[in-house]
Amino acid sequence: MRQELGYKEKSSQFTKFGQWYADRVQDPQYRDAPWCDMFLAWAANKSGLSDYVGEFAWTPSHAAWFIQQGAWSQKPEPGALVFYDWRGGKSYKGIDHVGVVERVSGKKIHTIEANVDRVWLKRKTRETDKVVGYGLPRVVKANAEKPGDIRSTERPFASPPPAQVGQGSPLDVLGTPPALLAAMVIMTIVLSLRVSGRRRGTHRRLSWAWPLRRLTPPAQPPSGAKVPSPRNPLAPPAADAAKPPREKAPARQKAPAREKAPVQEKQPAREKAAASEKPGRQVRSRVPAGSGGSATKHPTASRRRPYERD
């Protein structure tokens, strides 16, 4: 790491450390990515310490790796990796930057860090208020029973392998969302058919023989038989409906009452007025028109009113 002090990144944030890491993990996105942690992976690989330092590009994943190895501490020491959160948080999920502690002086630490002051690899003297914790490679080495148990590399954006679905029973399909959706559609169709088959006061039942009813002509009833109406089975047959009802006969008997002549009702009133005139004047009774010589005169006193009883 000391031999690389003073290194400066190229244009578009390209570095040889990013190029090395991109070739190692077969992912070109790391060629011009932030390179503070990729520089530590390059230095650990060159010194043969990758199994104890780790090879990472994503600082939160690197800190989590030390936590899993039981090599996480809050006390600085030379050779420890120091992880920072510039917002002052204390969770590894908020880590922004990483370096290596070169020496400790009181409450300050002297470090070697890459990608500082935007483009440089240089020494820095820092306070510990922004430090989240320290990863200790020596503890990882002491706890390692087998070198193969330590993950040397980790791709920060690698997706987990897809879960393998085992073979189940065919009845398992009944509980899937497509099966439930199909059941809902069938239920909706059945209910719509039941509702559309209803009429006022009656219920229509579906019959599987309806195509045969359309193809078979209706049977002709025998002559003289009473056929009910197809619209209302409870109505009387058409032949009986055509006959006039018997209850209407009394209405025809009332016709003579409408033929009363208004002249006959007013005749006694006019004769009474004529009798009240002067005594020497002769009273004439009117003869109905068209009666001729055969018309008979009825005296006023003997005429009966139409509403008097016998």
Side-chain angles (χ1 to χ4, degrees):
M1 293 177 62
R2 293 190 180 99
Q3 295 177 1
E4 299 296 329
L5 288 172
Y7 180 87
K8 184 179 180 181
E9 69 180 35
K10 307 302 186 286
S11 60
S12 300
Q13 209 173 2
F14 175 85
T15 61
K16 64 178 182 180
F17 312 113
Q19 180 66 51
W20 171 85
Y21 194 88
D23 296 339
R24 187 170 182 81
V25 298
Q26 299 297 317
D27 194 339
Q29 68 172 328
Y30 296 103
R31 294 176 182 175
D32 52 359
W35 50 286
C36 61
D37 209 358
M38 290 188 290
F39 164 68
L40 298 183
W42 176 87
N45 180 268
K46 295 296 182 180
S47 58
L49 300 175
S50 296
D51 292 340
Y52 314 120
V53 176
E55 295 181 358
F56 293 84
W58 186 246
T59 52
S61 298
H62 202 171
W65 181 79
F66 278 107
I67 294 174
Q68 292 175 356
Q69 298 297 325
W72 186 255
S73 175
Q74 297 296 325
K75 183 178 180 182
E77 62 179 58
L81 276 68
V82 53
F83 294 89
Y84 302 96
D85 182 355
W86 303 131
R87 292 178 296 273
K90 298 302 179 182
S91 173
Y92 75 94
K93 297 181 180 180
I95 292 175
D96 302 309
H97 185 61
V98 65
V100 175
V101 178
E102 190 175 17
R103 61 187 179 92
V104 180
S105 176
K107 294 182 179 181
K108 294 184 179 181
I109 54 176
H110 301 266
T111 62
I112 299 176
E113 302 174 13
N115 195 24
V116 293
D117 299 334
R118 297 186 179 181
V119 294
W120 294 101
L121 193 162
K122 57 191 303 186
R123 285 186 171 96
K124 298 289 291 186
T125 302
R126 297 188 181 276
E127 302 288 344
T128 59
D129 55 339
K130 304 296 183 182
V131 174
V132 178
Y134 302 90
L136 307 178
R138 65 171 182 84
V139 178
V140 176
K141 184 178 180 180
N143 295 336
E145 297 178 356
K146 296 181 181 179
D149 294 341
I150 302 175
R151 294 180 300 168
S152 60
T153 60
E154 179 180 336
R155 298 178 61 180
F157 302 105
S159 58
Q164 297 181 359
V165 181
Q167 296 181 356
S169 174
L171 298 178
D172 297 340
V173 182
L174 298 178
T176 59
L180 297 178
L181 180 60
M184 294 176 62
V185 171
I186 294 175
M187 184 64 66
T188 304
I189 294 175
V190 172
L191 293 178
S192 63
L193 292 177
R194 292 294 300 273
V195 173
S196 62
R198 294 182 181 178
R199 284 191 175 182
R200 298 178 180 177
T202 61
H203 296 274
R204 178 182 298 176
R205 294 184 178 179
L206 299 178
S207 176
W208 295 102
W210 65 270
L212 300 178
R213 294 181 182 177
R214 292 187 177 181
L215 298 177
T216 305
Q220 298 294 335
S223 60
K226 296 180 181 181
V227 180
S229 174
R231 295 186 178 179
N232 190 359
L234 302 180
D240 296 342
K243 295 180 180 181
R246 296 180 180 179
E247 287 77 8
K248 295 183 180 180
R252 295 183 179 180
Q253 295 178 1
K254 295 181 180 180
R258 298 179 182 177
E259 298 177 357
K260 295 179 181 180
V263 178
Q264 295 180 3
E265 294 179 359
K266 297 181 180 180
Q267 188 67 22
R270 292 179 180 178
E271 293 178 359
K272 186 177 180 180
S276 63
E277 294 180 356
K278 296 179 180 182
R281 190 174 181 179
Q282 186 179 358
V283 178
R284 300 179 181 180
S285 60
R286 294 184 180 183
V287 180
S291 60
S294 63
T296 59
K297 297 181 180 181
H298 299 279
T300 306
S302 62
R303 178 171 295 183
R304 181 176 58 83
R305 295 183 180 181
Y307 53 81
E308 292 181 357
R309 296 182 180 180
D310 295 337

